[in-house]
Amino acid sequence: MALDEIQIGGLGASRKRVEDARFIRGKGNYIDDFKLPGMLHMETLRAPIAHARITSLDTSKAWMTPGVHLVVTGEMAAQHNLAWMPTLSYDTQAVLVTDKVRFQGQEIACVVADDPYIAKDACEAITVEYDPLPPIVNPQQALAPGAPIIRDDKAGQTNNICYTWEVGDKENTERVFADPNLQIVSQDIYYPRTHACPIECNAIISDYNSATGKLTIYLTTQAPHIIRTAVALVAELPEHMIRVIAPDLGGGFGNKVPVYPSYVIAILASILLTRPVKWIEDKTGNLISSSFARDIYFHCDAAIRKDGKIQAVRIHADTDNGGFFSDAQPTKFKIGLFHSIFGCYDIPYGYMTAQGHYTNKAPGGVAYRCSFRITESMLFQERFMQTCAYEIGMDQAEFRRVNFVREFPHRTTFGFLLDSGDYDKCLDLGLEKIDYYGFLERQKQARSQGRLLGIGISTMSEPLGAGNSREYDIIGIKMFDSAELRVHPSGKAVLKIGSKTQGQGHETTFAQIVTHELGIPADDILVQHGDTDNTPFGMGTYASRSTPTAGAATAMVSRKVRAKAKKLAAHLLEVSEEDVEWELGRFYVRSAPNRGVTIQDCAFAAYTNMPDGLEPGLENNAYYDPPNMTWPFDVYITTVEVDPDTGEWDVLKFIGVDDCGVRINPMIVEAQLHGGLAEAFAMAYHQMITFDSQGNCIGANYMDYMIPTAWETPHFELYEVVTPSPHHPIGCKGIGECGCVGGPAAFVNAVVDAIAHLGVRNIDMPCLSSRVWEAMHYKHDVPGTPPLPGT
C-alpha cells in the first residue's frame, strides 16, 4: 500500500522547519561565531564625504599602534594588482581609493590587528586630507551641462552614463500612439533606495594555509560557488584550492550576492600574514556602502481605447547606479528583468528605453528581495494601472480585468513567455474577501462625513527561476542549478544542493521533494548546502530561483535514483523491470500488487545484493537548466483610512491571493509571504534611504532608517489558487519575493485612492504622513526624489 505522503512529510505537508531547532535555541552558526586559532581582525576606514580627491593619506600612526599587523591602502592593493576589481555588470570598482572618493562610505584603507577594537582605533589614527568635488545625487544632476565626470578613471568616459538599453517594437508603438481615437495617459514615479538590513551584516574570515596553499573563506553569502569563481579570477588563485563555506546567513535578500571590497582586502591580508583574518561589517557601514535596491525613475505613456483596453505602452526608466555599475543581473539585460512590466496584461505593442547613471552614491542596484528589478517594474505597473483607471473613468478592478491575459502560454509585449495562470479567479477571490463593492459604498458614505477611506489593488505576475541558460548568465556563467542525492544502505539519505538557504527553509522543503519522489520520510533526509567542497556547483539563492531550479534538480535526481532502484526491485522480486510498478515508497509486481519491496529494501540491496552488471550504490546527481521561468500570479488588496488632519494612515484590512503553483510546504509559503508583505508595508509606510545635497546618506542608522516592528505591521489574510507550472517537474513556481514585489503598490494605491477625488495621482514612497498631508492640502502630487528638500 502506498504511503500517506502528508504523514511522512512529502508534498503539501506543513512540516515544521527543521532549521528552527537550532535557531530558537540560539544555536545558529554565523560568521562572527567562528573563532580560529591565531585569528586577526580587520576594520575598514570609510570616506566621510561623497566626492573628493585625496590629497594626502598618512598611515604612520596606525602602523605604530600596538597590536597592529597590517595597514592596507589603495597604493598597496595596487602593488598586488588589486586596486580595482571587475563588477558583475562588466564595469570596474575601486577596492580601496587610489584617486578620488566616489561615494560617502567608500573604503579608504583597512587595518588588521589583534582584536577589532585595536583595528578600529588604528583606523581613526589614519589622517586623510580631501579636496572636495561637487556631489551628484540623481540622474538629472548627472546629465546637467558641466557636471563633473564621476568615472574619469575610465578611458573615453565623457559623461555620467553607464549604459543605455532598449526593447520592444518602436515603430508599431509609435503608430498606435498616433491614433487620435485613443486616450493617452502619462505618469512619472520615483522608487527610492531601500536596503536589506540583514541581522548579520557582510562578514568574512579568510584563512590561507601557506603549507597546503589552500584558501578557506568563511563568508556570509547567498552564492558561494560564484564567489569562489570570482575570487579565483580576481586574485588569480587556482579555483580548486579555494573553499567557500557559507554558514547561517542571518538574512541576505540580495545584499549578500556581490563581492565587496573588504572581502578582497581580508583575503589579501590573510595571504600576506598567513593567518586567519576576520572582518565583520557594522550596521552603518552596511547601510551606506553595501548593495542597495531600487533608486529608479519611471515615465510611462499608455494609449487606451474607450472600453479600457490598452493598445500600447511607451516606457522610459532612468536608474541611479551610484559610483560603479555593479548590478548583479543577467548579462544581456542591462536593467535586469524590468521589461517583465505589464506581463500579466495583454497589450499588443510596447517600447521601452532605459539609461543608467553614475552618481556619488554607493553602487548596487538589484538587491533586497527582488528578481532583477522586477519589484520596481511591478510598483510602476500597478501604480500606473490605477492612474489609467482614474483618467479614463473606469473602476480600477474592472480596468485590470479588461486587460488580463487569459490564454496560456502567452508571449508578453516585451518577449517573455507566461506559463500558466487563472487571473480572473484570483481577482474574484480577492474582491470577495475584501468585500470590494461593499467597501466602495462605505467609502462614499465616509467621504460625506469627512472621513477618507481608500482601497488599493495590485495584480501582478513575475518571472522567477532564471535561466534558461540560453539567455541568462552572470559573468558568463550560465544560470542553472544542481543537486546530488545519496541513499545509504539503511534507506536514510543525504541531499546536497547547489543553492544556499538564507532562511527560506531549504533543509525542510527540499527534503519534502525527495519524499514526494521516493517515499523516504522527510525526517530521514539530511539537506546540505553552502560548502563549495561538498556541494555541486550552483548559481546561488536570489530572485526566488531556488525552487524553480534547484528544487527541480532535486526532483530530477530523485527520479534518477528511483530508476536505478527499480532495477534493484526487479532483481529482488525476480521479475523483469517491465513488470515492476511504483507507488509512493514501494515497488510491486504489476500482476501481484501484494508482492513488493520498499525503497529502503532497494537501498540495502544496492550495497549488499546487486544484480550482475549493475554498479553498487544508490546515488546520482542532476543539473537542471530550466526551459522557461515560472510565473506566479498574485492579487493584493488593502483598505486604509487617512487622517485628514495629520496625513497619518492606518491599514484596515489586507487580502492576499497567491498562485505559486504546487505548494511544497503551505506553512512555509505563508511565512515567505508574510515576510515579503511586511517588507512591502515598510517601504510604503516609512522605511527610507535618501541623500542631502552634499551626498550625505540619510538613513545610515536605525534611528533614521525605520524598520517597522510587529506593532506597526498589519495583519495579512492570505488565500490560494493553484495552477501548476506545466514545465516544472512538480508544478511549482517561485514565491519568496511575491509579497515584497507586489505589495508596495497595493498600500500606495490605497492611500492615493483615499484622496484621489482631490486630484492627487501620486505620492512617491514612502507615504510619510507629511507627504500625504501636503498632497491633501495643496491638492498636488508629492515627489520623493533626492536631494532631501532644504538641504
Side-chain angles (χ1 to χ4, degrees):
M1 179 180 292
L3 299 172
D4 182 331
E5 183 166 355
I6 298 299
Q7 197 169 35
I8 63 172
L11 221 58
S14 287
R15 180 180 180 231
K16 290 183 179 178
R17 296 184 353 144
V18 298
E19 296 90 336
D20 291 346
R22 62 179 185 273
F23 291 144
I24 63 175
R25 291 174 173 83
K27 299 295 184 182
N29 200 23
Y30 304 95
I31 294 295
D32 211 16
D33 292 321
F34 287 83
K35 294 177 175 57
L36 303 184
M39 188 167 69
L40 301 173
H41 299 263
M42 189 179 89
E43 282 290 329
T44 300
L45 176 67
R46 299 183 182 279
I49 57 178
H51 199 192
R53 294 199 180 280
I54 291 181
T55 56
S56 71
L57 177 63
D58 183 356
T59 62
S60 56
K61 291 183 179 178
W63 276 107
M64 290 188 292
T65 303
V68 167
H69 293 259
L70 186 67
V71 180
V72 183
T73 63
E75 183 180 353
M76 177 185 287
Q79 293 170 5
H80 296 276
N81 198 29
L82 290 174
W84 293 79
M85 64 181 185
T87 73
L88 295 175
S89 289
Y90 293 89
D91 195 5
T92 53
Q93 178 175 353
V95 175
L96 296 176
V97 175
T98 55
D99 52 351
K100 70 174 185 178
V101 172
R102 290 178 173 82
F103 64 92
Q104 185 186 51
Q106 189 174 355
E107 297 83 355
I108 302 290
C110 293
V111 174
V112 180
D114 286 333
D115 67 47
Y117 306 104
I118 294 174
K120 195 167 189 65
D121 288 345
C123 275
E124 293 175 357
I126 296 173
T127 302
V128 188
E129 293 184 357
Y130 301 96
D131 180 13
L133 298 167
I136 292 173
V137 297
N138 62 45
Q140 292 72 29
Q141 292 178 348
L143 298 176
I149 307 300
I150 294 173
R151 293 303 305 277
D152 50 3
D153 58 290
K154 300 179 69 171
Q157 184 78 36
T158 59
N159 54 37
N160 289 315
I161 297 172
C162 59
Y163 75 86
T164 58
W165 196 72
E166 63 177 349
V167 65
D169 185 342
K170 180 179 181 181
E171 182 179 349
N172 278 313
T173 299
E174 294 301 333
R175 178 182 56 76
V176 172
F177 271 91
D179 184 344
N181 297 313
L182 299 176
Q183 182 173 345
I184 309 300
V185 178
S186 302
Q187 189 166 36
D188 291 280
I189 299 172
Y190 171 64
Y191 202 144
R193 283 197 174 204
T194 189
H195 207 280
C197 300
I199 296 172
E200 179 170 63
C201 300
N202 294 307
I204 183 175
I205 300 172
S206 177
D207 183 14
Y208 180 70
N209 187 325
S210 59
T212 65
K214 181 99 175 183
L215 176 66
T216 301
I217 301 170
Y218 302 84
L219 192 67
T220 181
T221 176
Q222 297 167 235
H225 291 276
I226 298 299
I227 292 291
R228 181 179 63 176
T229 301
V231 170
L233 295 174
V234 172
E236 298 181 349
L237 296 171
E239 189 169 0
H240 69 293
M241 296 300 285
I242 303 171
R243 179 184 184 186
V244 177
I245 299 172
D248 294 323
L249 292 194
F253 307 121
N255 186 247
K256 294 180 177 178
V257 173
V259 173
Y260 291 107
S262 294
Y263 292 171
V264 176
I265 299 303
I267 293 169
L268 173 63
S270 177
I271 293 173
L272 293 176
L273 298 170
T274 65
R275 290 176 65 175
V277 174
K278 175 191 278 190
W279 173 71
I280 304 291
E281 186 179 49
D282 61 28
K283 296 294 185 185
T284 291
N286 186 257
L287 283 166
I288 67 173
S289 73
S290 64
S291 189
F292 68 91
R294 329 306 184 220
D295 212 346
I296 180 169
Y297 301 72
F298 169 82
H299 175 83
C300 188
D301 308 310
I304 309 172
R305 283 192 327 220
K306 291 180 180 177
D307 63 358
K309 191 77 176 69
I310 301 174
Q311 297 301 291
V313 290
R314 192 168 50 197
I315 302 166
H316 180 72
D318 285 311
T319 57
D320 183 333
N321 298 77
F324 309 100
F325 182 26
S326 62
D327 295 9
Q329 59 198 4
T331 299
K332 66 188 290 188
F333 304 110
K334 296 300 183 185
I335 189 171
L337 304 185
F338 187 91
H339 56 305
S340 60
I341 192 169
F342 298 116
C344 67
Y345 300 116
D346 185 8
I347 300 174
Y349 298 105
Y351 177 61
M352 189 184 107
T353 56
Q355 184 164 285
H357 306 82
Y358 292 118
T359 63
N360 293 118
K361 295 151 81 172
V366 295
Y368 196 14
R369 218 161 182 175
C370 171
S371 307
F372 306 123
R373 289 201 184 275
I374 295 175
T375 302
E376 293 94 319
S377 68
M378 294 306 144
L379 173 86
F380 296 146
Q381 168 190 299
E382 288 309 299
R383 289 288 301 108
F384 187 57
M385 290 297 286
Q386 178 173 277
T387 297
C388 289
Y390 290 151
E391 296 302 318
I392 68 170
M394 276 187 76
D395 174 83
Q396 57 172 314
E398 292 309 307
F399 180 68
R400 288 174 170 85
R401 191 192 302 279
V402 163
N403 287 285
F404 272 161
V405 170
R406 291 192 170 78
E407 295 183 1
F408 299 89
H410 172 84
R411 185 70 67 181
T412 73
T413 309
F414 296 114
F416 291 98
L417 189 65
L418 304 183
D419 56 357
S420 65
D422 188 341
Y423 301 170
D424 288 297
K425 185 176 181 180
C426 294
L427 180 59
D428 288 341
L429 182 56
L431 296 178
E432 174 197 335
K433 295 300 180 183
I434 201 81
D435 184 23
Y436 181 69
Y437 297 103
F439 182 86
L440 294 182
E441 289 301 319
R442 294 194 293 279
Q443 184 184 41
K444 289 178 186 175
Q445 294 171 10
R447 196 168 287 168
S448 67
Q449 299 165 355
R451 294 174 59 209
L452 299 174
L453 303 184
I455 186 163
I457 300 175
S458 176
T459 57
M460 66 101 192
S461 185
E462 58 170 329
L464 301 178
N468 60 73
S469 67
R470 298 184 307 279
E471 297 182 282
Y472 299 94
D473 72 87
I474 290 181
I475 57 171
I477 302 173
K478 301 295 186 181
M479 297 190 74
F480 52 82
D481 232 293
S482 58
E484 290 180 6
L485 178 62
R486 176 179 301 169
V487 184
H488 294 298
S490 62
K492 315 297 183 186
V494 175
L495 175 72
K496 300 179 179 181
I497 54 176
S499 71
K500 162 68 189 168
T501 184
Q502 52 179 309
Q504 306 98 317
H506 287 21
E507 295 168 29
T508 306
T509 53
F510 280 61
Q512 292 183 248
I513 297 173
V514 177
T515 298
H516 172 70
E517 295 292 340
L518 294 179
I520 298 174
D523 288 344
D524 290 345
I525 301 162
L526 176 67
V527 179
Q528 295 183 338
H529 54 89
D531 183 341
T532 56
D533 272 11
N534 292 302
T535 55
F537 190 95
M539 291 297 287
T541 299
Y542 42 85
S544 296
R545 63 185 303 277
S546 287
T547 296
T549 56
T554 298
M556 300 308 288
V557 73
S558 299
R559 293 174 187 180
K560 288 183 177 180
V561 167
R562 193 170 71 205
K564 183 173 182 180
K566 187 177 182 182
K567 298 180 185 299
L568 291 159
H571 172 65
L572 294 175
L573 294 168
E574 298 180 334
V575 296
S576 69
E577 191 176 337
E578 290 73 23
D579 292 330
V580 175
E581 295 288 340
W582 166 257
E583 62 183 6
L584 189 63
R586 73 186 282 268
F587 295 97
Y588 62 90
V589 179
R590 181 180 299 129
S591 58
N594 290 331
R595 280 191 65 211
V597 292
T598 65
I599 187 71
Q600 288 80 8
D601 294 331
C602 297
F604 194 69
Y607 300 89
T608 61
N609 183 18
M610 305 83 72
D612 291 342
L614 190 67
E615 284 184 345
L618 190 57
E619 61 184 84
N620 217 315
N621 61 57
Y623 283 78
Y624 185 78
D625 185 358
N628 186 15
M629 285 186 281
T630 64
W631 292 79
F633 180 76
D634 312 275
V635 174
Y636 301 122
I637 309 176
T638 190
T639 55
V640 302
E641 179 162 6
V642 175
D643 187 323
D645 295 323
T646 66
E648 190 63 43
W649 52 279
D650 294 312
V651 174
L652 303 177
K653 189 172 185 179
F654 188 99
I655 295 294
V657 180
D658 298 276
D659 178 2
C660 60
V662 174
R663 297 186 173 205
I664 299 169
N665 184 319
M667 182 176 64
I668 286 182
V669 168
E670 288 204 7
Q672 296 252 23
L673 286 167
H674 275 261
L677 290 169
E679 292 178 4
F681 172 72
M683 288 184 282
Y685 190 59
H686 61 189
Q687 190 170 286
M688 178 175 69
I689 284 181
T690 190
F691 294 80
D692 68 13
S693 60
Q694 296 306 302
N696 294 308
C697 180
I698 311 299
N701 60 70
Y702 291 133
M703 294 295 286
D704 296 330
Y705 191 71
M706 300 179 70
I707 299 173
T709 65
W711 187 82
E712 293 103 351
T713 304
H715 173 71
F716 306 117
E717 193 174 319
L718 303 180
Y719 299 90
E720 70 176 73
V721 168
V722 176
T723 56
S725 171
H727 59 80
H728 189 275
I730 55 175
C732 295
K733 303 175 182 179
I735 189 62
E737 295 161 335
C738 291
C740 187
V741 171
F747 291 110
V748 182
N749 282 349
V751 173
V752 171
D753 185 63
I755 57 176
H757 61 290
L758 303 174
V760 175
R761 292 293 177 265
N762 184 52
I763 301 171
D764 282 337
M765 291 196 303
C767 293
L768 304 172
S769 57
S770 58
R771 292 180 181 180
V772 178
W773 186 91
E774 179 184 342
M776 282 192 299
H777 286 263
Y778 294 100
K779 298 179 174 56
H780 64 203
D781 294 354
V782 179
T785 55
L788 197 67
T791 62

